[in-house]
Amino acid sequence: MFKDSEMISKQTHELNYVLKKYEKKQSEGNREKMITLLDGFIKFEEYKPHMRKEFYQYVDDKNAFNDMEA
């Protein structure tokens, strides 16, 4: 069983937490981009079990936050 702290969600506070971690602006536009990233992330088998740690790896591997507002 996974802990809640190991999971990642699309809730505003969760999105803001991750944006802050990556030193990106906590804007509506960045949150929308991140939701799109999360939807894409789920489709990749190699990132199972699709938890927070794997999402961070996905973001790093894809340089996914490069086009977000800093």
Side-chain angles (χ1 to χ4, degrees), residues 8-20 25-28 30-32 34-35 38:
I8 192 157
S9 75
K10 295 179 183 177
Q11 295 178 359
T12 300
H13 73 275
E14 178 73 20
L15 300 173
N16 284 339
Y17 173 84
V18 176
L19 289 168
K20 185 176 180 180
K25 188 173 183 181
Q26 297 171 35
S27 66
E28 187 64 33
N30 278 354
R31 285 190 293 272
E32 288 174 8
M34 196 171 147
I35 288 170
L38 283 166

Side-chain angles (χ1 to χ4, degrees), residues 37-44 47 50-51 54-55 58:
L37 284 174
L38 283 166
D39 291 341
F41 161 69
I42 298 296
K43 296 175 185 175
F44 287 93
Y47 293 103
H50 298 113
M51 305 302 279
E54 288 80 18
F55 181 70
Y58 171 78

